[in-house]
């Protein structure tokens, strides 16, 4: 039985995010002959990517974020070392597009709820309802040292703070009721003061009076996205998230995750159909499988060994230091830390499963950092997406083109039409807001609900 | 003697900022028949304003900012109660314009240096060098209560923190040397690691390791702007600012301020010609003086008394509570506080000087909150600007059109051509960056300077 059979009128279709860091996803992407070497810091290039994603009818453009120069930076490595702050970049892209959503990553550990609520509300307003917030807790001591700390808060504390942060931000977004603004020139009444609310939040981590100085977002709330896979991460996702990005290598683990999250969402009293699970997929697509394999090989041949080592050290955080170990030998054992637990476990699992050497491992993860990599013909790629989608492993996918713009163009020009032909993907945007396109309900404002309850009782 | 006589080849010309909150400057601006009542939250309207400012060859679009619903909000008042976060808005406007600068206000009291440095560097990058940062310390307990505090830090502490904040941000902007990026596809060298620098800042208020994860801004540093007029404010301006916004009622006080700041700048070891002093001016322009007076009266007739009272209470902060006092009687006495000292003093000075009643005072400040208001024909307005500009009171002006879009259109269509005719204003942009148009030098990177000094010594 597939989930598709559950729905009533409209057939269930795949939702698609496009993960498009200007420097490309693969560690050597910037060295690809078709890629602009300065893509990471080139605004016109990001504009081109956004327009291509919109041409492909993607739901959203998605960007990760670090509050440090990040992975491999110290070793002289790759193109992700410096680039745009995601909200600023997306604000600039919004007026140049009409339907594409923009999901920006922002940190609950190092940003204040008021500031964060405000910038996402502002992005939602200027984009006419196309903003999404990917909630992260920003692991790593290197990040902490840019924010007045020597070491990061521990994993549990980061997640406790994240829970409170997200709830505070949502309350701030509800400061204004939707119909609070009167703007009657004749009487001079600009707004209805009964429809503007302090939030008076006083919690363990934050004390925020409110109200927010931006109107309630067009979408009610920008779409809340989450990607943590640890126990704490799943708890946060079940409680707060509407879209969940996740990394899986195999159908079985993806299905297990899917079942687990949908069950947790139901336990939290929420509707499982209103939480979309979107694994990452890095596709190398060819007109034939051979063509796809050639593309895959071309990119892996461009990895410098020192960049590969830096990548693994970065992903494994403090659990591992492989510098000094022979590249063609096995991975040294791990240590316990407070970093990104889920990602570290995944890297280790891949190494163990394939019995990879260090060199084999970094070549393997260079494309997609642990996300599912598909190398195949148009039919093969579409078959795999269809299988995951129809067998309770995914509600959609976050597409991570290994290099840009070529791998995005391939997906839009080759795979999208095939998915459309199969009835698995839209042929036109359903709505104007990100929420409408994702099929997510607009959240009600609790103040408005409370008022109508009182009125109904009278 | 005018400063113009000092310059060498190019005649000195007026620099112009445009202060364009979408809701208009005058407290009743949104009620003006020509103004969109929803201007404050209407992105298309802000776009129209930016295009008009660029057509008028303004140096920059400037926006103030509050981290609270702010002035008068609790009383049900004016259109400034909710709107866009300035950096997000300016990022969205940047790709729709080509030469106009964007000066956004951001707080040293409630934002972290890393986050702030990053968003302005990102705005500078995506606008090709058109960003400016107006440094504020965000007075008021209402603001503090949105950021985990019950009361604001005192005035001296806010300014001490501001000094350290600005220096930290500048150091972060210098993390990357200008030529740090190699991007050589052949060798795989993306950047020169000798040209990437930790800042290792450990001060009284901040500890920031760096480096920043955005390349050095196109302008080296976004233009640093400041507007404090208190002793602490002037100290900060003399030490850090390149453009100073200021509020004066009379030529004499403007001249006194101008002389004082230029002397402080010289004392701080900086070049006084590289610090531009730009008083605010709110112009009601008509083809005749009568027409201008009619425009002035039309707008003042739209003020609701309760909004006028809320405005005065907001501006005076905790020094004054005029609720309960008769509108046609005098202002009650003030108290000492930790708020915005300079603005409070100015309001009191205006009331005393004109012997204003409460009603007269709020009508007077409703236009421009203490900035210089000119009501006159094109010739009269141009004469006044010329007088201030040529008698060491101003290097330019921050134009505050009382309502929008009409008063901006009037200025662009009537006053700008007259200033051009007199040779006082540009007829085309001189450069592409905000810094080039303002005639401000691009700051050198101290790391690069240190290296070339070493090389020269060898």
């Amino acid at each position: 039985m597939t989930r598709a059979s559950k729905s009533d009128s409209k057939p269930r279709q795949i939702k698609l995010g496009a993960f498009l860091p200007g420097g490309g996803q693969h560690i050597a992407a910037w060295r690809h002959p078709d890629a602009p070497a300065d893509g990471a810091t080139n605004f016109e290039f990001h504009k081109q990517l956004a327009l291509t994603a919109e041409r492909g009818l993607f739901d959203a453009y998605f960007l990760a974020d670090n509050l440090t120069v990040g992975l491999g930076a110290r070793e002289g490595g790759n193109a992700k070392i410096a680039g745009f702050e995601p909200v600023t970049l997306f604000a600039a892209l919004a007026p140049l597009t009409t339907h594409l959503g923009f999901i920006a990553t922002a940190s609950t550990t190092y940003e204040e709820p008021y500031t964060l609520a405000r910038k996402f509300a502002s992005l939602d307003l200027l984009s006419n309802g196309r903003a999404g917030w990917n909630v992260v807790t920003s692991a790593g001591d290197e990040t902490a040292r840019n924010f007045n700390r020597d070491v990061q808060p521990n994993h549990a504390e980061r997640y406790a703070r994240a829970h409170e942060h997200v709830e505070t931000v949502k309350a701030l977004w509800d400061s204004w009721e939707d119909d609070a603004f009167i703007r009657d020139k004749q009487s001079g009444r600009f707004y209805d003061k009964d429809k503007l609310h302090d939030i008076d939040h006083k919690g363990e981590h934050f004390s925020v009076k409110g109200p927010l100085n931006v109107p309630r977002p067009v979408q009610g709330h920008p779409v809340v996205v989450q990607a943590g896979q640890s126990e704490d991460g799943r708890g946060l996702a079940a409680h707060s998230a509407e879209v969940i990005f996740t990394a899986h290598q195999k159908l079985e683990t993806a299905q297990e995750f899917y079942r687990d999250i949908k069950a947790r969402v139901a336990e939290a009293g929420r509707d499982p159909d209103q939480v979309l699970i979107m694994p990452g997929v890095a596709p190398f697509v060819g007109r034939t499988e051979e063509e796809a394999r050639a593309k895959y090989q071309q990119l892996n041949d461009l990895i410098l060994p020192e960049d590969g080592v830096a990548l693994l050290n970065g992903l494994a955080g403090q659990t591992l230091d492989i510098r000094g170990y022979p590249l063609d030998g096995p991975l040294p054992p791990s240590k316990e830390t407070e970093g990104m637990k889920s990602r570290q476990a995944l890297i280790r699992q891949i190494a163990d499963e394939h019995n990879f050497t260090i060199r084999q491992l970094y070549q393997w993860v260079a494309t997609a950092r642990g996300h599912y990599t598909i190398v195949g013909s148009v039919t093969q790629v579409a078959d795999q997406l269809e299988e995951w989608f129809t067998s309770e492993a995914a509600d959609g996918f976050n597409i991570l083109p290994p290099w840009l713009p070529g791998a995005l163009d391939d997906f839009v020009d080759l795979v999208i039409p095939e998915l459309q032909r199969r009835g698995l993907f839209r042929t036109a945007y359903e709505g104007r807001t990100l929420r409408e396109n994702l099929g997510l309900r607009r959240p009600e404002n609790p103040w408005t609900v409370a008022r109508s309850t009182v009125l109904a009782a009278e």
Side-chain angles (χ1 to χ4, degrees), chain A:
Chain A
M1 188 198 73
T2 70
R3 294 189 70 83
S5 62
K6 282 200 209 162
S7 50
D8 34 15
S9 51
K10 279 197 295 185
R12 179 171 165 266
Q13 290 189 316
I14 290 174
K15 303 302 176 188
L16 289 179
F19 184 72
L20 308 173
Q25 174 63 14
H26 188 285
I27 190 176
W30 70 276
R31 299 183 67 193
H32 191 283
D34 299 341
D38 70 345
T41 50
N42 180 331
F43 178 72
E44 286 301 315
F45 185 59
H46 285 82
K47 174 178 164 183
Q48 176 193 334
L49 298 175
L51 294 175
T52 304
E54 188 161 79
R55 178 166 65 80
L57 303 175
F58 274 88
D59 290 270
Y61 188 153
F62 169 60
L63 281 175
D65 195 40
N66 290 305
L67 296 170
T68 157
V69 287
L71 305 182
R74 307 292 170 166
E75 282 74 19
N78 67 63
K80 291 187 178 185
I81 188 168
F84 295 95
E85 186 278 324
V87 175
T88 333
L89 175 62
F90 283 157
L93 294 173
L96 309 176
T97 51
T98 55
H99 290 79
L100 186 65
F102 295 102
I103 300 174
T105 297
S107 172
T108 53
T109 304
Y110 301 107
E111 293 204 45
E112 288 292 327
Y114 199 89
T115 315
L116 191 147
R118 197 172 173 229
K119 72 182 183 182
F120 279 93
S122 190
L123 179 62
D124 202 62
L125 180 57
L126 64 87
S127 66
N128 277 315
R130 295 186 279 139
W133 170 28
N134 180 40
V135 179
V136 296
T137 67
S138 306
D141 293 338
E142 202 184 339
T143 305
R145 287 193 281 267
N146 288 331
F147 293 88
N148 314 314
R149 300 182 64 121
D150 291 326
V151 294
Q152 65 179 336
N154 70 42
H155 195 269
E157 189 189 323
R158 289 207 311 278
Y159 273 89
R161 184 178 154 109
H163 269 281
E164 188 182 334
H165 195 296
V166 173
E167 293 314 304
T168 308
V169 165
K170 287 181 175 176
L172 283 167
W173 285 334
D174 290 332
S175 301
W176 294 88
E177 295 186 49
D178 289 316
D179 59 351
F181 291 95
I182 304 166
R183 303 192 187 99
D184 179 31
K185 286 189 180 184
Q186 200 54 43
S187 68
R189 285 189 77 203
F190 191 73
Y191 73 96
D192 181 345
K193 60 183 171 179
D194 293 338
K195 294 181 176 173
L196 171 61
H197 305 275
D198 286 350
I199 73 163
D200 285 325
H201 175 82
K202 281 190 191 294
E204 187 151 349
H205 299 85
F206 304 105
S207 166
V208 181
K209 188 168 197 312
L212 195 65
N213 58 356
V214 186
R216 190 160 196 255
V218 175
Q219 296 184 98
H221 301 168
V223 175
V224 175
V225 180
Q226 220 271 330
Q229 307 217 33
S230 64
E231 184 63 25
D232 288 335
R234 291 180 191 213
L236 179 62
H239 192 261
S240 306
E242 302 171 277
V243 172
I244 296 170
F245 291 147
T246 176
H248 296 285
Q249 293 301 316
K250 292 193 289 197
L251 179 64
E252 294 70 32
T253 61
Q255 285 172 322
E256 190 186 311
F257 179 81
Y258 189 98
R259 274 194 301 273
D260 179 60
I261 292 288
K262 297 273 176 172
R264 287 174 190 248
V265 167
E267 269 169 51
R270 302 173 62 212
D271 178 357
D273 287 339
Q274 288 287 303
V275 177
L276 305 173
I277 298 179
M278 297 172 65
V281 172
F284 288 86
V285 190
R287 273 154 236 274
T288 62
E289 187 181 330
E290 291 64 40
E291 195 181 289
R293 294 208 169 276
K295 290 177 181 181
Y296 178 73
Q297 199 50 52
Q298 179 185 26
L299 211 44
N300 270 338
D301 288 346
L302 293 172
I303 307 172
L304 297 182
E306 56 266 38
D307 290 350
V309 169
L311 171 68
L312 287 187
N313 270 331
L315 285 173
Q318 294 155 334
T319 56
L320 202 60
D321 188 348
I322 55 175
R323 280 165 296 201
Y325 287 85
L327 291 187
D328 296 310
L331 213 58
S334 304
K335 296 169 287 185
E336 270 295 308
T337 69
E338 291 297 341
M340 296 167 68
K341 299 199 168 183
S342 52
R343 186 55 56 93
Q344 292 157 11
L346 188 64
I347 297 294
R348 169 64 56 183
Q349 177 197 318
I350 291 163
D352 292 350
E353 200 167 293
H354 297 268
N355 205 18
F356 274 156
T357 64
I358 290 174
R359 189 192 307 274
Q360 287 168 328
L361 182 62
Y362 77 61
Q363 285 189 343
W364 197 95
V365 299
T367 295
R369 322 285 197 273
H371 286 281
Y372 185 40
T373 301
I374 310 180
V375 184
S377 68
V378 176
T379 306
Q380 288 171 324
V381 172
D383 283 352
Q384 300 229 25
L385 298 183
E386 181 166 7
E387 184 185 14
W388 283 45
F389 178 66
T390 56
S391 59
E392 302 205 322
D395 297 312
F397 302 93
N398 196 26
I399 302 300
L400 302 91
W403 82 98
L404 294 169
L408 174 65
D409 293 339
D410 284 351
F411 194 86
V412 168
D413 294 333
L414 302 174
V415 180
I416 296 273
E418 176 62 19
L419 295 176
Q420 289 170 327
R421 205 187 53 74
R422 300 183 186 192
L424 291 168
F425 191 63
R426 65 169 66 91
T427 53
Y429 283 106
E430 296 86 6
R432 287 299 293 263
T433 70
L434 172 58
R435 199 169 272 286
E436 285 166 3
N437 287 316
L438 289 172
L440 296 173
R441 283 191 291 273
R442 188 175 188 278
E444 292 182 300
N445 187 320
W447 297 103
T448 311
V449 173
R451 173 177 299 104
S452 39
T453 312
V454 170
L455 286 178
E458 277 170 3

